[in-house]
């Protein structure tokens, strides 16, 4: 799913504004790129893989449980695979990667590009005019210690109480859940 990136969004030259607005509909609630990709219903390959996994779980008699409204559980699962790719927002609006410190920025095509969450995980870094993070999702810093205590320590993710953040950071917004067609 991550390998398709933004290539799943068709952007014809004569309808670029309309295409950009349609793409942003997948980002309602400032949910991040991973959740936006999960929302795209036309991803037959992702559905086929899910169906295959359901079949395998049924075969070994493991009960399937899920709550599509629990985005934190989905984000935590994503973070468990990408915990080495975590970054923290800085006062100037850039991000600083946690373990191998370097300055990075959210890619302009990201749904979180204007939101600036305090903590993010990303799929990959792309170097153009700046070092950009692609496929970005916000996370709670305590998850990094819970998921990978062998990699992250509490001192890596503690927030000093007196730090001021850029204006857009830390905004609370309603989050829309995504639906899955059963047909």
């Amino acid at each position: 799913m991550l390998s398709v990136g933004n290539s799943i969004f068709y952007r014809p030259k004569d309808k670029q504004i309309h295409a950009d607005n349609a793409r942003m509909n997948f980002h309602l609630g400032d949910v991040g790129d991973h959740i936006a990709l999960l929302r795209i219903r036309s991803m037959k390959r992702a559905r086929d893989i899910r169906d295959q996994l359901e079949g395998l779980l049924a075969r070994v008699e493991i009960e399937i449980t899920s709550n599509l409204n629990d985005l934190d559980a989905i984000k935590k699962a994503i973070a468990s695979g990408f915990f080495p790719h975590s970054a923290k927002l800085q006062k100037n609006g850039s991000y600083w990667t946690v373990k191998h410190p370097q300055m990075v920025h959210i890619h302009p095509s990201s749904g979180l590009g204007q939101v600036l969450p305090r903590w993010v995980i990303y799929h990959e870094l792309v170097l153009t005019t700046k070092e950009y993070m692609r496929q970005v999702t916000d996370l709670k810093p305590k998850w990094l210690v819970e998921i990978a205590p062998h990699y992250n320590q509490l001192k890596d993710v503690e927030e000093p109480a007196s730090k001021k953040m850029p204006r857009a950071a830390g905004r609370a917004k309603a989050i829309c859940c995504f639906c899955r067609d059963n047909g």
Side-chain angles (χ1 to χ4, degrees):
M1 180 174 69
L2 291 172
S3 63
V4 297
N6 284 330
S7 67
I8 58 173
F9 296 107
Y10 178 61
R11 194 171 184 248
K13 289 196 184 284
D14 60 331
K15 297 180 182 177
Q16 288 180 346
I17 294 173
H18 180 69
D20 290 344
N21 288 337
R23 181 179 63 85
M24 290 311 292
N25 285 335
F26 291 106
H27 292 280
L28 288 176
D30 299 326
V31 295
D33 299 325
H34 294 94
I35 301 298
L37 285 173
L38 287 172
R39 288 181 170 171
I40 298 171
R41 299 177 189 177
S42 65
M43 296 180 60
K44 182 167 178 23
R45 179 158 163 67
R47 177 163 297 213
D48 291 345
I49 290 170
R50 185 182 195 285
D51 292 344
Q52 183 181 16
L53 289 172
E54 284 179 340
L56 291 171
L57 290 172
R59 186 181 310 160
V60 293
E61 298 178 0
I62 296 176
E63 183 182 349
I64 300 169
T65 59
S66 66
N67 179 354
L68 297 179
N69 295 321
D70 188 2
L71 294 181
D72 278 355
I74 296 169
K75 290 177 183 181
K76 196 171 183 179
I78 294 167
S80 70
F82 290 101
F83 63 85
H85 296 173
S86 56
K88 182 179 178 182
L89 182 64
Q90 301 301 299
K91 290 180 182 180
N92 65 2
S94 68
Y95 285 82
W96 198 250
T97 57
V98 176
K99 275 299 185 177
H100 305 288
Q102 72 182 78
M103 184 185 293
V104 294
H105 300 83
I106 294 179
H107 195 276
S109 67
S110 172
L112 292 179
Q114 300 301 313
V115 179
L116 300 177
R118 287 182 186 250
W119 286 85
V120 296
I121 52 169
Y122 58 92
H123 174 64
E124 65 182 349
L125 292 175
V126 177
L127 179 62
T128 57
T129 56
K130 297 178 183 176
E131 191 84 33
Y132 286 110
M133 299 179 287
R134 293 196 39 160
Q135 308 304 349
V136 179
T137 295
D138 64 307
L139 77 147
K140 295 178 181 170
K142 67 179 183 177
W143 294 347
L144 295 172
V145 178
E146 290 174 17
I147 291 166
H150 62 284
Y151 193 81
N152 292 292
Q153 296 176 353
L154 195 54
K155 68 179 177 73
D156 295 331
V157 299
E158 285 180 322
E159 297 263 1
S162 64
K163 266 197 173 174
K164 290 186 178 180
M165 287 288 140
R167 235 180 151 160
R171 287 190 295 186
K173 286 196 171 194
I175 296 177
C176 298
C177 66
F178 62 95
C179 303
R180 177 176 178 258
D181 289 337
N182 290 324

